Amino acid sequence: MRKRGVEIDEIDYAKKRLDEATVRTLVAKAGSVAAVLNTRHATAKAKGWIDKPPDVATFAKAVAAEVNLLKRPIVIAGDRAIVGFDEAAYKKL
């Protein structure tokens, strides 16, 4: 993003955990839990979340404890989120 001249505020959420309110905001901007759920994570598989994602509150609590349940990267642009690597969406920024 920086190479394209886009200024960003980067949060390394592996080092600084996200709280439940922040996760809820991410889900709202992305449109759904399914949009931000890391379907490769063992917990997501074990709980059957790949086929039936949990409600936002359950997911937010789980992510607050295990941040790797979030798909990466997540780019917030105003009131929307780009989740996962999406070159075309980045160009639109």
Side-chain angles (χ1 to χ4, degrees), residues 26-39:
L26 289 172
V27 170
K29 289 183 181 210
S32 68
V33 169
V36 297
L37 176 63
N38 176 2
T39 57

Side-chain angles (χ1 to χ4, degrees), residues 28-77:
K29 289 183 181 210
S32 68
V33 169
V36 297
L37 176 63
N38 176 2
T39 57
R40 294 172 49 189
H41 195 281
T43 299
K45 291 176 183 178
K47 293 187 178 238
W49 290 352
I50 296 166
D51 296 322
K52 186 176 181 206
D55 61 84
V56 176
T58 301
F59 183 69
K61 186 173 184 171
V63 170
E66 175 50 67
V67 73
N68 289 320
L69 283 164
L70 284 173
K71 192 183 299 184
R72 294 185 308 249
I74 299 173
V75 175
I76 304 296

